[in-house]
Amino acid sequence: MTAEPSDASESVDVPRITPSTGAPYARIMGVGGYRPVRVIPNAEVLNWIDSSDEWIRTRSGITERRWAGPEETVAEMSVQAASKAIAQSGIAPEQVGAVVVATVSHLKQTPAIATEIAQRLGCGTAPAFDISAACAGFGYGLALADGMVRTGSAEYVVVIGVERLSDLTDVSDRSTAFIFGDGAGAAVVGPSQTPGIGKLVWGSDGSQRDVISQTEAWDTAFGKPDAVNGVGDGTKWPALRMEGQAVFRWAVWDMAKAAQKALDAAGITADQLGAFIPHQANMRIIDAMIKALGLPETVPVARDIAVTGNTSAASIPLAMERMLQTGEAKSGDLALIIGFGAGLVYAAAVVTLP
C-alpha cells in the first residue's frame, strides 16, 4: 500500500518557492510580414509539370506564390518580419523577453535559427528557440508566448512563423509542385488588462503522421556518415509529399470541430467575429470550413493563399497582416485562427487583432 502524495509546502521545514507572477492576460500587440521578391505565377509552374492554370486554380485557389532568393534566408526573412511587428507594438527590441521561431525549413540541425534572429533584432540575451509544428507552428508559438507573459517569465515575446518551402519542393511532383511558397510572419505578444488570446485548442494525431511528410530522413537520402571522413553517398534531395484527399477530409471535418471548440472556449459565437484567419492550405478547404462552421457572410475570411501559396507556419501571421493592411479586418476585431498540418497537428484560438 502506497502513501498518498503530500504537498511539500505543508511542511514547515521546507522553504516555499516564490511564485512567478505576470500580467493577468496577454494580447497580440503588433504583427509584421515579409514576402520574397520573386513571384512564381502558375505559368512558370507549368514548365515543370503537365497541368494547366485552370487545374491549379480549381484545385487550390492559387494563382501565384513567392519563392525566396539566395539572400532571402530563413533568418533574413524572420528579421524583416519581426522588425515590423516590434515597431508596430511600440516597444524597443531590448525589451523582448523571448524569441520563438516556428519552422520546418531551417536546414541546420543546430544551432536553432532563433538565436541568430534574436541577436540580429537586438534582443540582448533573451532566450531564443525553434519549434517544429509545421502549419500549426504559429499557434503553438502563440500558446507558449501567452503562458510566458502571464506567468512572468517574459514581458514581451516575439513569435515568428517562417518557411523556405521551395527548398523542400519537388518541382516534378504534380501533386505538390504548385502548392508551397516562402515567407515569414511575426507577432509581438505582451501584457494586457483584458483577455486578448483565448484558450488554445490544440492537439495531434500521430497515427496519421505519414499523410504529410518528408520523403526521406537525411541519413537515408545522403547515406549514413562515414566514421572517418563524414562523407555520405546519397544523391537525391528529400522533398515534401502529401496525400491530398486524406488531408482534405481531415482538415474539413476534424478542423472545423476544433475551430468550433475554440469559439466555445472563448465564449464567442461565429457572428461576433471580425475575421476568420485559417491556415492558407487550400481554398477549397477554407470554403468547406466556412460552411461547416456556419460562418455568416458578413465575416471577412483570409484568402492570402491566392497570391502567396501555402507558407506553412508563416501563413496565419502573413494573412493577418494583409487583412489589417487592406482594411478587411480592423484593430480590436476578434479573429478566429486555426493552423493544421504535418504531424498531424493543429491549433485554434480566438484572438484580438492588434
Side-chain angles (χ1 to χ4, degrees):
M1 185 174 183
T2 58
E4 290 294 323
S6 62
D7 186 346
S9 63
E10 294 176 359
S11 172
V12 294
D13 297 326
V14 178
R16 292 189 177 185
I17 295 173
T18 301
S20 59
T21 56
Y25 306 106
R27 66 185 176 96
I28 299 175
M29 301 175 60
V31 65
Y34 179 82
R35 301 165 191 272
V37 174
R38 184 185 175 194
V39 177
I40 307 290
N42 286 346
E44 185 169 344
V45 176
L46 300 182
N47 293 324
W48 315 328
I49 58 174
D50 180 16
S51 187
S52 68
D53 176 68
E54 181 183 4
W55 185 86
I56 293 173
R57 289 175 187 248
T58 301
R59 187 176 178 85
S60 67
I62 300 172
T63 61
E64 62 185 40
R65 71 287 295 144
R66 301 290 184 99
W67 277 16
E71 303 302 317
E72 293 170 314
T73 63
V74 167
E76 179 61 27
M77 291 190 293
S78 297
V79 169
Q80 293 291 336
S83 295
K84 293 179 183 178
I86 291 171
Q88 188 184 93
S89 71
I91 67 169
E94 55 268 25
Q95 291 178 272
V96 173
V99 176
V100 181
V101 177
T103 186
V104 297
S105 50
H106 170 52
L107 300 181
K108 276 191 177 180
Q109 191 73 35
T110 192
I113 196 62
T115 58
E116 176 185 341
I117 294 166
Q119 184 270 325
R120 290 180 58 183
L121 287 171
C123 299
T125 59
F129 57 94
D130 299 352
I131 60 174
S132 177
C135 308
F138 181 75
Y140 275 44
L142 203 62
L144 295 173
D146 178 55
M148 283 188 268
V149 171
R150 291 194 291 117
T151 58
S153 58
E155 186 174 12
Y156 303 102
V157 182
V158 173
V159 179
I160 300 168
V162 58
E163 303 292 2
R164 267 185 61 117
L165 295 179
S166 57
D167 291 336
L168 297 171
T169 296
D170 180 353
V171 295
S172 67
D173 181 0
R174 189 172 185 269
S175 65
T176 61
F178 60 92
I179 293 174
F180 300 115
D182 302 338
V188 172
V189 177
S192 175
Q193 292 303 308
T194 56
I197 300 174
K199 178 183 177 181
L200 194 80
V201 174
W202 55 346
S204 67
D205 180 4
S207 68
Q208 298 194 72
R209 61 188 178 275
D210 293 330
V211 172
I212 308 172
S213 65
Q214 185 173 303
T215 50
E216 295 179 278
W218 298 111
D219 62 347
T220 303
F222 296 106
K224 294 187 181 299
D226 183 276
V228 177
N229 56 32
V231 175
D233 58 5
T235 57
K236 188 173 178 60
W237 188 259
L240 295 175
R241 288 287 185 269
M242 179 165 56
E243 295 178 23
Q245 289 303 314
V247 173
F248 184 89
R249 289 192 298 270
W250 173 75
V252 170
W253 303 115
D254 290 356
M255 292 306 94
K257 294 175 184 177
Q260 185 60 55
K261 287 181 180 178
L263 286 171
D264 295 342
I268 299 299
T269 56
D271 62 304
Q272 293 175 308
L273 291 171
F276 177 41
I277 310 178
H279 164 49
Q280 302 295 290
N282 182 298
M283 200 75 81
R284 292 190 302 154
I285 290 176
I286 293 172
D287 288 337
M289 289 184 71
I290 291 170
K291 185 177 180 180
L293 284 168
L295 205 66
E297 293 183 2
T298 53
V299 176
V301 178
R303 297 183 181 277
D304 194 51
I305 188 172
V307 293
T308 308
N310 179 343
T311 56
S312 188
S315 78
I316 289 175
L318 278 173
M320 183 182 294
E321 182 199 45
R322 185 185 292 276
M323 292 191 82
L324 288 167
Q325 285 181 341
T326 60
E328 291 178 86
K330 305 185 299 296
S331 173
D333 280 350
L334 294 177
L336 171 61
I337 64 172
I338 180 167
F340 45 87
L344 292 171
V345 293
Y346 61 91
V350 175
V351 302
T352 300
L353 294 176

